């Protein structure tokens, strides 16, 4: 491992720690506010900016992004994202400690599977931490467009099935992935600096959707799903679109198993134990009180 890669890993670890602690602070602040709505963006923005706790969380998230961008300038997208994806463990630990309770069995299983998968993914990247080629700009644009369409589809399904907390976490993570991929492209310089436009759009929509999701579900469910997708999708993009090196043999098989474990963890996080939640007298993380109002469609 060269010095650039070592520095990138350290920056990525610091970045994901800042970001996931920020998610928890933003969740608690947004959940205490009047109902936010995409139909009233200026009013919703005013509510958020007038809350000091949310502002502190957003400042921490912004600091995490700055560290993330610095890491991307030194190492491949896949390597940095594999480190960042471990933030689900940080989120789970901080969330449980902040509330003075243990994770429910289903959530613990989901987090454990995700962490195992992400560790396996990091091992699989040990033989392929190179930058790779820049890939086709057309292919990148198609990938970003397809990701945005998938996010909109998730929101449509969430409205129909009354699972908006999950849908907003998923869509927020997908839009964040657009921002993350665009950040890597912008750091390549030249004409690709134009991807700063999709960077701004992706992060703006991702942040907005997470705040809406925070009012309807738990931090671990909403931000946990967003974190997994924010990292898994760019890792796939790094391999498929940016042509970053793919490990062969056992390392290649390990990467497949890693993605399977992360996917299974996401499913478990998306379907928390409702019975345990009812016994605790808390929202189950999927449908919160805000879903019952006329603004539930966001």
């Amino acid at each position: 491992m060269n010095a650039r890669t070592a520095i990138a890993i350290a920056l990525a670890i610091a970045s994901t720690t800042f970001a996931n602690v920020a998610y928890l602070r933003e969740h608690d602040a947004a959940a205490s506010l009047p109902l936010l709505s995409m139909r009233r963006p200026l009013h919703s923005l005013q509510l958020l900016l007038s809350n000091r706790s949310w502002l502190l969380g957003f400042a921490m998230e912004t600091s995490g992004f700055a560290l993330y961008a610095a890491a991307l300038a030194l190492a491949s997208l896949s390597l940095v994202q594999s480190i960042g994806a471990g933030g689900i463990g940080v989120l789970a630990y901080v969330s449980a400690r902040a509330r003075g309770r243990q994770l429910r069995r289903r959530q613990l299983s989901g987090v454990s599977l995700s962490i195992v998968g992400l560790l396996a993914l990091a091992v699989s990247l040990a033989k392929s931490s190179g930058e790779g080629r820049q890939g086709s700009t057309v292919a990148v644009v198609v990938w970003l467009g397809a990701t945005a369409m998938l996010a909109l589809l998730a929101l449509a399904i969430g409205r129909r099935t009354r699972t908006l907390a999950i849908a907003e976490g998923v869509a927020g993570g997908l839009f964040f992935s657009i921002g993350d991929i665009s950040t890597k492209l912008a750091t390549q310089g030249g004409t690709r600096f134009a991807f700063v436009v999709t960077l701004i759009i992706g992060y703006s929509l991702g942040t907005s959707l997470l705040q809406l999701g925070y009012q309807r579900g738990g931090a671990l469910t909403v931000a946990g799903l967003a974190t997994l997708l924010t990292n898994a999708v760019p890792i796939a993009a790094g391999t498929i679109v940016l042509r970053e090196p793919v490990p062969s043999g056992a390392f290649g098989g390990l990467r497949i198993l890693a993605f399977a474990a992360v996917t299974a963890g996401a499913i478990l996080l998306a379907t928390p134990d409702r019975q345990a939640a009812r016994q605790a007298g808390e929202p189950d993380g999927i449908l919160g009180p805000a879903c019952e109002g006329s603004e539930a469609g966001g």
Side-chain angles (χ1 to χ4, degrees):
M1 180 186 300
N2 57 41
R4 285 172 60 91
T5 301
I7 294 173
I9 290 175
L11 290 171
I13 291 173
S15 170
T16 193
T17 301
F18 268 96
N20 282 279
V21 173
Y23 288 157
L24 181 60
R25 179 172 288 274
E26 288 176 2
H27 169 272
D28 291 346
S32 68
L33 294 174
L35 189 61
L36 303 172
S37 173
M38 294 286 274
R39 298 173 185 173
R40 303 177 64 190
L42 294 180
H43 176 69
S44 297
L45 181 61
Q46 182 181 11
L47 288 173
L48 291 171
L49 294 180
S50 63
N51 187 290
R52 291 185 179 180
S53 182
W54 187 88
L55 279 175
L56 178 58
F58 186 71
M60 293 176 65
E61 185 181 353
T62 302
S63 299
F65 168 74
L67 294 171
Y68 168 77
L72 281 181
L74 298 174
S76 70
L77 179 62
S78 296
L79 179 61
V80 174
Q81 294 292 157
S82 70
I83 301 299
I88 184 65
V90 175
L91 179 64
Y93 176 78
V94 175
S95 177
R97 287 294 299 271
R99 286 155 177 75
R101 62 172 181 262
Q102 295 182 337
L103 296 174
R104 296 195 288 271
R105 181 177 300 176
R106 187 183 296 271
Q107 292 176 321
L108 183 60
S109 298
V111 170
S112 299
L113 265 176
S114 299
I115 292 175
V116 168
L118 294 168
L119 287 174
L121 184 59
V123 173
S124 76
L125 289 168
K127 295 292 185 179
S128 59
S129 59
E131 283 287 333
R133 297 185 291 275
Q134 291 191 346
S136 165
T137 299
V138 173
V140 169
V141 171
V142 170
W143 181 281
L144 297 182
T147 302
M149 293 301 295
L150 188 59
L152 295 177
L153 177 61
L155 289 173
I157 293 174
R159 291 190 182 97
R160 182 175 295 274
T161 60
R162 294 180 61 79
T163 55
L164 272 176
I166 288 176
E168 286 162 348
V170 169
L174 290 171
F175 276 116
F176 272 137
S177 78
I178 290 176
D180 284 356
I181 296 168
S182 299
T183 300
K184 176 60 180 178
L185 294 168
T187 62
Q188 293 173 346
T191 58
R192 290 203 165 184
F193 186 74
F195 279 100
V196 72
V197 175
T198 52
L199 180 159
I200 294 172
I201 293 173
Y203 285 137
S204 296
L205 290 176
T207 298
S208 300
L209 287 167
L210 246 64
Q211 308 317 307
L212 297 177
Y214 289 157
Q215 291 196 320
R216 299 181 171 96
L220 185 56
T221 296
V222 178
L225 285 171
T227 297
L228 290 173
L229 288 168
T230 297
N231 291 280
V233 173
I235 288 173
T239 301
I240 299 170
V241 180
L242 300 183
R243 308 286 183 84
E244 292 176 352
V246 179
S248 59
F251 284 98
L254 186 61
R255 178 173 292 190
I256 295 174
L257 291 176
F259 273 108
V262 169
T263 300
I267 293 172
L268 288 172
L269 284 172
T271 54
D273 190 341
R274 298 190 182 201
Q275 182 178 359
R278 285 195 297 268
Q279 290 175 350
E282 301 169 349
D284 62 9
I286 296 178
L287 294 175
C291 289
E292 302 297 332
S294 59
E295 294 286 342

